[in-house]
Amino acid sequence: MGKIIFLDVDGTLVDYENRIPESAVRAVREARAAGHRVYICTGRSRAEVYPELWEIGLDGMIGGNGSYVEDHGHVVMHQLITADQCRRAVDWLHSRGLEFYLESNSGLFASEHFAEKSLPALREYSRRKGKPHSDLLTVTDVFPDMIFGGNLYRDDLNKISYLLNSYQDFLDTREQFPDLENGTWGGAGATALFGDLGVAGINKANAISSLLAYLGAHISDTIAFGDAAVDIPMLEFCAVGVAMGNGSQEIRDMADLVAGDVEEDGLYLAFEKLGLLNPDR
């Protein structure tokens, strides 16, 4: 077995407009041809891993920021938010007037007014990432398969993301749900745009540990790539941690290597620098 490579998706393997650079596709395919394994390690649930990602050629995935682990179609580990936790969270978010979406392997399920109320935050998130024409972004651009009008009381959830009206919403939700993992995304501290709720004690590093045990592999053979604070645990855990050049200052400061931007062949050039590419290419 060669190296075991873990790639965050958004901002690492794909750009912030959900486009996969052709050079990133080549990087993954050449690395696998050279005998390495490549897994995505993402906050996305399996329902958000669209066919074009699988078509690159992957050995499997870690999803839900660590709640789900899959190797070549085999489910290695899957930990879920309980039905009771889901019901309590949905009722709490409704009582606070906070729109949300539920993330499961079977789909993304939006609250009643998520489409219209989330649009300013989604556009701001895109603008912060330096994307042109962010003001033209639609919810469908970001979530092409979002389900509206579906059942919101569920027993198959990996995560719940909710729109913040203020940072106090996150602080209050964290106090309300000490039995769940509480986080934010779209900004740091008071600039955060969304909060999220996940399975307690879960992160990307825990999931990588579970996969390595299943594979009988050693941590010394691992390399992780990411761009955001949520990726820091896996970069710290793996033998080599690589931050994308478009990543946050926090992750770039702690990484072993800083790659170029995702849109500037950053992944491919980093694979090349680390000697991961097929020497016969």
Side-chain angles (χ1 to χ4, degrees):
M1 187 184 298
K3 298 297 184 181
I4 307 172
I5 304 163
F6 298 97
L7 303 177
D8 173 53
V9 174
D10 299 289
T12 300
L13 180 58
V14 308
D15 68 20
Y16 296 112
E17 293 183 352
N18 218 23
R19 295 179 300 209
I20 309 170
E22 188 276 334
S23 62
V25 175
R26 285 192 290 117
V28 171
R29 290 176 177 170
E30 291 182 16
R32 293 187 76 231
H36 308 299
R37 290 174 176 254
V38 181
Y39 297 84
I40 54 172
C41 192
T42 176
R44 297 189 187 196
S45 292
R46 204 182 195 287
E48 289 181 272
V49 183
Y50 304 116
E52 57 266 28
L53 282 170
W54 289 114
E55 288 163 5
I56 295 172
L58 298 168
D59 290 283
M61 69 170 289
I62 291 170
N65 280 336
S67 68
Y68 177 76
V69 181
E70 176 183 319
D71 174 68
H72 292 277
H74 173 74
V75 178
V76 176
M77 182 268 280
H78 195 185
Q79 299 191 52
L80 296 166
I81 292 172
T82 68
D84 177 66
Q85 288 171 327
C86 173
R87 180 177 290 273
R88 288 193 294 112
V90 166
D91 289 347
W92 165 260
L93 295 170
H94 274 143
S95 74
R96 295 280 298 211
L98 300 175
E99 299 302 320
F100 58 90
Y101 64 96
L102 311 178
E103 305 178 46
S104 81
N105 285 0
S106 59
L108 304 181
F109 300 87
S111 61
E112 293 80 356
H113 305 291
F114 181 81
E116 61 267 32
K117 291 195 175 179
S118 68
L119 193 54
L122 293 173
R123 287 176 173 174
E124 173 63 12
Y125 181 68
S126 178
R127 186 193 66 77
R128 289 179 183 178
K129 298 299 183 182
K131 299 294 106 181
H133 312 301
S134 296
D135 58 320
L136 302 178
L137 190 74
T138 68
V139 172
T140 304
D141 292 331
V142 181
F143 303 110
D145 294 330
M146 183 76 80
I147 297 166
F148 297 94
N151 176 28
L152 299 179
Y153 292 141
R154 309 189 63 84
D155 62 1
D156 61 350
L157 297 188
N158 300 321
K159 283 173 56 196
I160 301 170
S161 284
Y162 59 96
L163 185 66
L164 294 173
N165 293 329
S166 71
Y167 191 61
Q168 190 63 45
D169 289 324
F170 163 70
L171 297 176
D172 292 345
T173 301
R174 182 176 64 182
E175 182 177 354
Q176 186 75 16
F177 295 97
D179 55 328
L180 291 171
E181 197 74 21
N182 287 263
T184 61
W185 57 277
T191 68
L193 298 170
F194 288 86
D196 59 32
L197 295 164
V199 179
I202 286 294
N203 61 36
K204 293 182 177 185
N206 302 143
I208 291 172
S209 180
S210 294
L211 179 61
L212 293 179
Y214 170 77
L215 296 174
H218 195 270
I219 192 172
S220 61
D221 292 324
T222 58
I223 303 173
F225 291 75
D227 74 306
V230 71
D231 300 317
I232 289 176
M234 74 168 176
L235 266 65
E236 289 178 332
F237 181 80
C238 289
V240 178
V242 184
M244 302 303 291
N246 48 273
S248 66
Q249 188 64 48
E250 184 180 10
I251 194 170
R252 286 187 280 124
D253 285 345
M254 59 75 58
D256 298 306
L257 173 68
V258 178
D261 288 12
V262 60
E263 294 176 319
E264 298 173 358
D265 302 331
L267 200 66
Y268 188 90
L269 294 173
F271 272 42
E272 188 173 53
K273 185 171 185 176
L274 291 167
L276 298 172
L277 302 180
N278 186 352
D280 299 324
R281 69 185 189 280

